[in-house]
Amino acid sequence: QLRRMKWWHEAKFGMFIHFGLYSQHARHEWAMEDEAIPIPEYQKLAPVFNPAPGSQRQWAKLAKAAGMKYMVMTTKHHEGFCNFDTKLTNYNAVKQGPKRDLVREYVDAARAEGLRVGFYYSLMDWHHPDGAKCATDEAARRRFVDYTHGLIRELLTNYGKIDVLWYDVSWPLKADGWESEKMNKMVFSLQPDIIVNNRNGLLGDFSTPEQHITAEKGGRAWESCMTLNDSWGFQRADDNWKSSKTIVRNLITCAHDGGNYLLNIGPQPDGGIPPETIRVLSEVGRWMDTNGHT
Ligand code: JFZ
């Protein structure tokens, strides 16, 4: 086992956070695509997106109370909106919406609770003009790959030590199109101790079974990610919450089979945590206080 991954294997339990303009929209993080919302229309969510300062502190406190040891927040989901400050696009939370760096606030909050810090990053991008074109147009691919590597470079340069990079959805390119080998080389040169997942088309350090718990063969590291209801982003109409009993059982299954459990929350547009999420995670925390080991 890799020395880099020691803390992660010991951690076992982490909090996934899906937060962005889709939270403001309050339907589904895929709504832009599923409901074919045109970019000019969707962008109108940005000026009204204004989560309360200190929200991330509440997420981090809840994670800590639930017995989680690390967090992974969406820095940019498929919608393309950057929750962080960047020189590469104005479609970001400092220029539009809250006018604050939500990733900075998240990093500070996680560290304040002694939790490890992970960044989710979607390669697929529905907002960037080259995000789809890059598959059929070499000039577009060049621009978009430079943009992608550039954003990742900023994320891994501007926030101190980052513990996990969680790539997602590599459509419409493959590893060679994304220049993923070069991407990971850059990532490790900026953050020698970071752990990366397998969703940029390479094996990475761990696999990511989603919404199910299936151990990897041959001692390969894995982390099962799961929603608490049926959506990753905040969805007003979704009240199909899992019980704390189910969550504890899932955590036990993961731990027993040698994997990690990354459990998602979808904060409300104001940054608040849905009451049912607080209730379930607090119950999990009470079980962990009695039965978990630190
Ligand atoms: C992706 C996203 O589309 C989704 O919004 C969320 O962020 C989730 C964590 O990741 O969805 C996926 C990605 C990969 C698989 C399934 C859904 N997969 O490999 O089965």
Side-chain angles (χ1 to χ4, degrees):
Q1 275 182 3
L2 287 167
R3 178 192 51 83
R4 265 187 303 123
M5 297 192 68
K6 186 169 183 284
W7 73 265
W8 186 87
H9 284 293
E10 288 166 2
K12 293 185 173 54
F13 194 20
M15 175 182 273
F16 211 174
I17 304 111
H18 276 70
F19 197 53
L21 298 183
Y22 45 87
S23 314
Q24 186 69 42
H25 191 248
R27 287 179 54 78
H28 193 280
E29 79 281 357
W30 271 74
M32 183 178 174
E33 174 79 5
D34 290 347
E35 301 174 19
I37 304 171
I39 290 174
E41 194 60 35
Y42 193 84
Q43 281 182 162
K44 291 180 187 159
L45 293 164
V48 281
F49 181 48
N50 189 21
S55 304
Q56 291 91 333
R57 290 300 300 270
Q58 302 309 312
W59 312 345
K61 284 196 171 111
L62 184 61
K64 174 95 178 182
M68 294 159 161
K69 300 291 193 287
Y70 62 108
M71 303 173 81
V72 179
M73 184 181 92
T74 50
T75 59
K76 174 179 86 88
H77 202 260
H78 312 335
E79 62 178 9
F81 186 75
C82 295
N83 283 325
F84 55 100
D85 197 10
T86 165
K87 295 190 172 69
L88 303 179
T89 174
N90 287 333
Y91 202 44
N92 77 65
V94 177
K95 303 259 172 25
Q96 301 184 39
K99 304 269 168 69
R100 305 186 331 259
D101 187 328
L102 301 178
V103 167
R104 171 88 53 205
E105 293 177 8
Y106 153 71
V107 168
D108 290 346
R111 292 202 184 117
E113 294 301 322
L115 302 171
R116 298 272 186 161
V117 180
F119 285 168
Y120 165 107
Y121 181 91
S122 172
L123 296 165
M124 177 166 77
D125 191 311
W126 298 325
H127 182 268
H128 193 286
D130 297 320
K133 249 186 16 198
C134 60
T136 50
D137 175 334
E138 173 54 22
R141 190 197 66 84
R142 183 70 268 148
R143 284 191 301 266
F144 191 55
V145 167
D146 288 346
Y147 177 73
T148 301
H149 287 220
L151 288 179
I152 294 171
R153 174 180 292 281
E154 288 181 329
L155 281 168
L156 299 185
T157 302
N158 298 340
Y159 301 91
K161 185 172 181 288
I162 302 305
D163 300 295
V164 179
L165 179 58
W166 214 101
Y167 298 114
D168 199 16
V169 187
S170 62
W171 183 93
L173 300 174
K174 300 272 196 305
D176 57 338
W178 289 111
E179 304 178 17
S180 294
E181 300 274 4
K182 192 174 155 204
M183 187 188 292
N184 279 5
K185 219 169 247 158
M186 170 187 72
V187 165
F188 284 107
S189 78
L190 296 168
Q191 299 279 345
D193 291 326
I194 204 168
I195 298 169
V196 300
N197 77 350
N198 62 342
R199 291 192 182 184
N200 67 343
L202 300 177
L203 267 180
D205 295 312
F206 65 96
S207 297
T208 51
E210 174 162 325
Q211 303 286 32
H212 63 92
I213 299 171
T214 313
E216 287 286 316
K217 303 218 162 45
R220 176 162 165 81
W222 58 277
E223 172 191 70
S224 171
C225 58
M226 224 180 258
T227 49
L228 209 40
N229 52 4
D230 294 323
S231 331
W232 296 93
F234 175 66
Q235 163 138 234
R236 206 186 287 116
D238 183 351
D239 61 0
N240 191 23
W241 302 99
K242 294 181 179 68
S243 68
S244 55
K245 198 176 208 170
T246 297
I247 299 304
V248 166
R249 281 187 180 148
N250 287 342
L251 176 58
I252 291 170
T253 303
C254 289
H256 174 267
D257 293 349
N260 280 19
Y261 192 40
L262 186 66
L263 183 62
N264 182 72
I265 71 165
Q268 298 155 4
D270 65 359
I273 306 167
E276 194 66 6
T277 298
I278 296 180
R279 197 179 66 73
V280 173
L281 288 187
S282 303
E283 284 175 16
V284 171
R286 279 198 285 284
W287 184 88
M288 289 290 278
D289 284 344
T290 319
N291 303 291
H293 294 273
T294 44

